[in-house]
Amino acid sequence: MIRGLNFLLLITSVLALVGVYTLKYHTVDTANEKLALQRQIEKQEADLSLLKADWAYLNQPAHIAPIVRRHAEVLGVAVIDQAQFIHITDIPMRTAQTDDDALTELFKSLDAGVDPIAALIEASVQ
């Protein structure tokens, strides 16, 4: 009986030893994977930082201006002339009075199911 119990304890101890051994190496593998992922993240962050620096350099006006001048004809761009700007007073303002008769006719035709704006658009397309 004692011999059987000793044999059972020996088998249980060996199984527990194998389990602990497996768990230890599994933990080491997991730690190595974590370390590898951290290194990969650090490398990607460094690459991203370098790309942001390149992007900032390439977007500087001093870098873009010669390129735009070189390709101005192809791009169809030109320096804005001062004559292209107008004063705010030159913009035509909306009339103070609304044309009530025209609005009444518009609402009547909309109520009748006729959309005069759609008719104008269709006429301009054809």
Side-chain angles (χ1 to χ4, degrees), residues 15-126:
L15 289 176
L17 180 67
V18 169
V20 169
Y21 181 79
T22 304
L23 182 64
K24 177 191 179 242
Y25 280 100
H26 182 69
T27 305
V28 169
D29 288 343
T30 303
N32 287 337
E33 287 178 17
K34 178 185 171 192
L35 189 62
L37 286 173
Q38 285 176 338
R39 286 184 185 146
Q40 185 180 4
I41 289 170
E42 289 172 1
K43 183 183 179 311
Q44 288 180 348
E45 286 177 346
D47 290 345
L48 183 63
S49 176
L50 183 64
L51 289 173
K52 283 181 179 177
D54 285 346
W55 182 256
Y57 172 74
L58 293 174
N59 282 326
Q60 289 180 348
H63 181 76
I64 293 175
I67 297 170
V68 171
R69 268 187 253 122
R70 190 171 49 232
H71 300 287
E73 286 185 28
V74 176
L75 295 173
V77 294
V79 177
I80 297 174
D81 188 21
Q82 188 175 2
Q84 292 175 315
F85 295 103
I86 61 173
H87 194 264
I88 191 77
T89 58
D90 296 335
I91 299 174
M93 293 294 156
R94 192 182 315 176
T95 57
Q97 291 287 337
T98 56
D99 191 359
D100 292 334
D101 295 334
L103 284 176
T104 303
E105 290 298 321
L106 175 66
F107 289 132
K108 282 182 183 176
S109 63
L110 287 175
D111 288 340
V114 177
D115 188 2
I117 296 172
L120 287 174
I121 293 172
E122 287 179 12
S124 66
V125 173
Q126 295 173 354

